[in-house]
Structure formats: C-alpha cells, structure tokens
Amino acid sequence: MKKALILGLGKSGFAAARLVAGEYDLSAWDAKAEENFPQSDIAELRSLGVDLIFGEEPDSTLYDVIIMSPGISPAIPLVQKAVAAGASVTGELELAYTHCKGQFFAITGTNGKTTTTALVGEMVKAADIPCEVVGNIGLPATARAKYADEKTVMVTEVSSFQLETTSTFAPKVSACLNITPDHLNRHGTFEEYARVKTLVYKNQNSGNFYIYNFDEPETAKRLPAGDNAPVAVPFSRKVKLEFGAFLKDDWLVIRDGEKEVLLCRTDELLIPGKHNQENALAAAAIAYFGGIPVEAIIKALKTFAGVAHRIEFIKEVKGVRYVNDSKGTNPDASIKAIEATNTPILLIAGGYEKNSDFTEFIENFNGKVKELLLLGFTAPRFAKRALELGFPEEHMHFCKDMADCVATGYRLAQPGDTVLLSPASASWDMYKKFEDRGDDFRARVLELEE
C-alpha cells in the first residue's frame, strides 16, 4: 500500500483524510499543536487509521503521495523534497474529481466566483436535479464527492490554489469570470497567476464547454485551442454577441445558433450592481450549456438574493446604511462594491498583505468616498498611496480593530451615507477567514444605538 501524507488539517485536510482513509497508509500533518483542533475530529481520524503528526515537519521523502490543502503552497521545501524523492503531488480538487461519479461545473476567476457559484447552484436545484455546491465557497468538494451519483451536479467554486495541484480534472462546464492581479504573494507574477486560472479548462474536450468573459481582456485572450478543445462560450454585458450570453435592451439573453432565449430583465435581478449582471450572465451560460432547463434558470435569476459578505446590507441606523463586503479581498472586488454604492461612502479598508496595487482602487473612489477608516497590516501602505493620489489626510482614520472602525463610522456618518466594509485585502492578519471579519462587522453594527 502506498504511503500518503496530507498537508494541513483545515476543513480540506479533514475531508480529504475521510475520503481516502484505507486507500493509503495515511498520515496527516499540521504545524499547529493538537489542542487547536476539535478532539472529536482527531479521534475520528485516528479511528480510521490515520497517523496524525503535529508541530515539527515530518520527513516528506518517506511518502509516495503528497496531498495538498489549498492554503499550503506546493513550492515549500517540504513538498519539493518529496517531489525530488519521486513523490506525486495532488490536491483537494483533483482528489474529489477522481473519487466522484457526478459531473462538475467549475467556476473560477478573481472576483464573482462565490455569487456565480451560488446562483448556478440555485438554477440546478430549481430543476430538481441532485446538486452539491462545494469548493472554495465553503464546503470542500472532497466532503461530498463520495455521496454523488451520475445524476449529481457538483457546482464547484475553484480557486487558483486548488487548480495548481490538478492533473486530470476535466469538468463538463468550466468558467473563468475575470483575471485581475491577486495572490501575487503565492504565485509570484501575474502571468503565472493567469496561467494557473486557465488550468480550469486544460483537460476538457470538444464535448465540454468553457464560459468566459468577452469584455475582460485577460480572459478573452486566453482561450482553449486545438481540435479537441472545449466549446468556448462568451458572455458580455457590453456587446450583443452572435453566440453566448449578453444583454439586449436590458434583457439577459442567450443566443445558441438560430435560437435566442430571453431570460429576464436586469431590473428583475435582486442582486445589485453591473458586476452582478455579469455574474448572472455567466451563471445563465454555465447552466444553459450544462443542460439545465431554461425555466429553472429564469426562476433562479428572479429569486436569488445574493450571498453573505458580498455587498450585504446589514442595517440602517439613523439614516446611515451599513454594508458588509468582507469578501472584497482584493482591489478589483472592492472597486465593484464602490461602483454598486450610490451614496457617499465611509470606507473600511485594509487587512492582510497580498502585494496588491491599490492605485486603481483609490482612483475609482470618484469623489464617492468621503472618509477612509483603515485597519490591519496594509493600512499604512494604503494611506500612503491614497495621499499620493490626493485623498485628504484629514479624512483618513487609523483604527485599531473592527469595533473602532464601526464606532468611528457611526460618529462621522451623516444621514444618507453608507458605511461600507470592503477591505481590498485578505483577512488573515486579524481573522482566520473573511467570513469572521464580516461577522465581526455585522455584530458591531447590530450593537449601535438607533
């Protein structure tokens, strides 16, 4: 029996261990101490015969297979030593795909993945087709892979971290919503990050579909090629297409050969902003070319109200709206939140350092951002760039934590303003995940005096 080592015991690591226990002589390692993990989960893995290693790194050259959790880079020495000794490397997404009977709809891109994935899931469910909504959206695909049968659609949000450890992954439908600079601290260069994103269609064939953003240059120029390439289906908010999904006289439309299908009007969408029109077009194309009935697509488009932490209205207090966009973890995502807000903004920004350039984000304030409430590791660099671009120093406020941010916003905001949490940075300097950051914001807002 081959020896396998799982790196990382987060949600993905535990799910992977449960999936392949018994298939390998299996070990799992995490740098954190054992007491940091739920003891019931630890006991379960040990009962499955998994050797658990905590703290000091194991000798990775002793293993035939290295199973990566998405949060750990394949470039670390621990992995490179194993590869040099002849080990193969696989990850959570590849593992789920090879152990699953269902068909995959895989959605990647820098921004919009979660909203689009959730909306596609609602379309599949509206058609009464068995569906698992998994991946980077919160539930590891490995956690549900063995429960899917041939009729199940695995609607999967796919990150660059998950794609870089795939080898045979070939979804029925794949999609890339956009490619803008992100995770450069992991991938090194934008070109490498973009290359990894296109792995979503690498193993597809001419019987599959690849949905891409026609309006976005970095996706439009990176299309699959070759006689056996998947069918490339564009979507566009700006151009009336001969084929694909687009807007026509404020209607969402799909054109497929001689057939033109009207789906719904833009004012019937419950999710705000032009970026969500793009997400809706992408979702409709994914579902349509994935074989989901039009009636189910239309029903979901008209009833889907969005996801938590993405331009999520929390509460109005004394005429001031409080909006949670904690999922704005990079500048491009936060630009979309600014664009979707039609009132003066008090912006909460800053967080973990991903080497992002904040220039374009600040330039897109367009006079709408009246106060900057800065927190986290990137706050000084954010402030420096804002000053260089002419944002008034007297309207910048450094805050020690989220409670301070919300209190400062409450003190400075006027009726008709919006206090917007859209950090343009990851959360890992102060929180385990962006959901925790959004939950903290929500809790502080709900404490405000009416």
Side-chain angles (χ1 to χ4, degrees):
M1 182 180 286
K2 288 185 175 182
K3 291 173 66 69
L5 175 66
I6 294 173
L7 299 184
L9 276 173
K11 289 187 292 185
S12 293
F14 277 108
R18 293 183 182 103
L19 183 63
V20 300
E23 185 177 331
Y24 298 104
D25 179 0
L26 188 62
S27 300
W29 167 79
D30 199 287
K32 295 190 290 293
E34 181 174 343
E35 54 264 28
N36 288 286
F37 300 93
Q39 290 307 298
S40 58
D41 290 335
I42 296 296
E44 179 189 2
L45 293 198
R46 287 195 169 122
S47 73
L48 293 171
V50 181
D51 179 30
L52 299 178
I53 306 166
F54 297 97
E56 187 175 350
E57 290 185 359
D59 182 355
S60 59
T61 64
L62 301 176
Y63 298 90
D64 305 296
V65 181
I66 304 296
I67 299 172
M68 305 292 302
S69 294
I72 298 177
S73 170
I76 65 172
L78 181 70
V79 178
Q80 293 305 305
K81 289 177 186 176
V83 171
S88 62
V89 176
T90 191
E92 186 245 343
L93 182 62
E94 179 73 16
L95 207 62
Y97 177 73
T98 56
H99 287 75
C100 184
K101 295 178 180 178
Q103 54 186 331
F104 280 75
F105 292 0
I107 299 146
T108 196
T110 306
N111 297 305
K113 297 187 297 295
T114 298
T115 296
T116 304
T117 300
L119 178 50
V120 173
E122 292 304 306
M123 292 171 176
V124 178
K125 292 172 185 175
D128 292 324
I129 295 172
C131 177
E132 299 284 356
V133 181
V134 293
N136 206 48
I137 198 168
L139 180 66
T142 44
R144 302 303 303 168
K146 66 182 179 182
Y147 301 106
D149 61 22
E150 291 83 355
K151 297 179 181 179
T152 304
V153 178
M154 302 288 287
V155 181
T156 311
E157 180 183 338
V158 177
S159 71
S160 60
F161 295 177
Q162 293 165 321
L163 283 169
E164 66 183 342
T165 51
T166 56
S167 54
T168 67
F169 179 65
K172 177 180 179 180
V173 183
S174 68
C176 188
L177 307 179
N178 43 63
I179 306 175
T180 59
D182 198 12
H183 299 302
L184 301 187
N185 59 327
R186 167 83 167 245
H187 297 294
T189 66
F190 174 73
E191 283 302 315
E192 175 59 14
Y193 171 65
R195 184 196 69 81
V196 171
K197 284 294 191 186
T198 65
L199 294 177
V200 75
Y201 64 67
K202 178 183 177 183
N203 299 307
Q204 288 185 287
N205 60 39
S206 57
N208 304 142
F209 295 91
Y210 171 61
I211 315 299
Y212 71 96
N213 191 338
F214 183 87
D215 302 333
E216 208 273 324
E218 297 298 339
T219 56
K221 74 182 184 183
R222 291 180 167 86
L223 299 182
D227 294 338
N228 200 34
V231 177
V233 180
F235 67 90
S236 174
R237 190 179 58 81
K238 300 176 181 179
V239 178
K240 294 180 181 178
L241 301 170
E242 294 300 316
F243 171 66
F246 56 97
L247 295 184
K248 179 180 179 182
D249 301 326
D250 291 324
W251 279 81
L252 279 73
V253 174
I254 288 180
R255 185 174 289 159
D256 180 14
E258 297 298 316
K259 186 190 305 182
E260 187 169 285
V261 181
L262 296 178
L263 298 173
C264 72
R265 297 189 311 275
T266 55
D267 60 9
E268 293 179 291
L269 297 173
L270 301 181
I271 45 180
K274 292 179 180 178
H275 67 288
N276 274 324
Q277 294 174 8
E278 292 184 358
N279 294 336
L281 287 166
I286 293 163
Y288 178 86
F289 289 97
I292 306 304
V294 170
E295 295 77 13
I297 295 172
I298 293 172
K299 179 181 179 182
L301 285 170
K302 291 182 177 181
T303 57
F304 180 70
V307 296
H309 310 292
R310 190 65 179 117
I311 316 182
E312 176 194 15
F313 173 70
I314 301 299
K315 189 180 182 182
E316 184 173 308
V317 181
K318 296 183 177 179
V320 177
R321 290 169 54 85
Y322 291 80
V323 175
N324 169 24
D325 190 52
S326 184
K327 204 172 189 311
T329 59
N330 60 68
D332 192 59
S334 292
I335 286 172
K336 291 177 170 59
I338 297 289
E339 291 174 343
T341 305
N342 298 316
T343 65
I345 297 168
L346 291 83
L347 177 66
I348 301 173
Y352 180 79
E353 180 66 82
K354 293 198 292 184
N355 298 328
S356 297
D357 185 349
F358 296 126
T359 302
E360 185 179 2
F361 177 41
I362 296 165
E363 288 175 342
N364 273 272
F365 286 0
N366 292 328
K368 293 166 73 173
V369 176
K370 57 187 286 189
E371 306 285 346
L372 266 177
L373 316 178
L374 298 171
L375 82 166
F377 192 89
T378 60
R381 189 164 68 83
F382 201 117
K384 180 176 182 292
R385 191 68 185 115
L387 282 171
E388 291 170 348
L389 293 171
F391 193 88
E393 184 174 8
E394 62 270 23
H395 293 292
M396 290 187 201
H397 313 271
F398 288 91
C399 303
K400 63 182 180 180
D401 53 24
M402 189 62 72
D404 191 16
C405 284
V406 172
T408 303
Y410 180 74
R411 175 171 55 84
L412 296 174
Q414 301 295 318
D417 291 347
T418 296
V419 175
L420 171 66
L421 168 66
S422 192
S425 305
S427 61
W428 305 318
D429 57 336
M430 300 175 71
Y431 303 91
K432 287 185 177 180
K433 52 188 185 294
F434 73 82
E435 292 94 337
D436 292 344
R437 178 171 62 189
D439 288 342
D440 191 13
F441 174 76
R442 179 189 293 107
R444 304 303 177 182
V445 169
L446 295 177
E447 291 171 352
L448 296 176
E449 292 183 8
E450 297 282 355

